Amino acid sequence: MIDRIGDDLKFHQLALGLRQQRQEVLAANIANADTPFYKARDFDFSAALQDAMGGSGSLRLPDTQLALTAARHIPGKAAGNETADLLYRQPLQPSLDGNTVDMDVERVQFADNTMRYQTDISVISARIKSLMSVLQQ
């Protein structure tokens, strides 16, 4: 039964992971708005979600390996999930310094992604509350 609940929430887990990753990409674009020759990045959320659901069924993040600074440390290693393919954003108005970040576009995308992230959290919360009420009966 727990596997069925996990499978039911897997889509939402993948969507939240991708939303969080996109938020980091958009935040990096905003942070580098004044960096010369910085190229704005983004990814197609729908395509990334399709790949995550259709492929192995799980989002893949970069592998993590801890550096050992003493002989008595325990080696740590974690295989991550796959990240979405980052694309370069096409500038609407080119700048003289080669930077392709358009702050208006980035702000709108950031706000839209934030709103969708909060919506996903609300949907998951309601789903878990309904599962809890069924289990309590």
Side-chain angles (χ1 to χ4, degrees), residues 42-113:
D42 201 357
F43 64 88
D44 182 12
F45 179 81
S46 299
L49 188 59
Q50 288 284 340
D51 288 344
M53 291 302 293
S56 63
S58 64
L59 181 65
R60 179 147 171 70
L61 298 172
D63 292 342
T64 302
Q65 187 167 356
L66 301 177
L68 300 178
T69 57
R72 294 177 36 182
H73 285 174
I74 300 172
K77 188 175 181 182
N81 296 330
E82 188 175 333
T83 58
D85 294 330
L86 289 178
L87 307 171
Y88 290 102
R89 186 171 302 207
Q90 295 296 321
L92 300 175
Q93 183 176 2
S95 72
L96 294 175
D97 65 357
N99 188 313
T100 63
V101 176
D102 183 355
M103 283 302 290
D104 292 332
V105 171
E106 298 301 327
R107 283 186 195 118
V108 167
Q109 293 296 323
F110 192 86
D112 179 63
N113 194 60

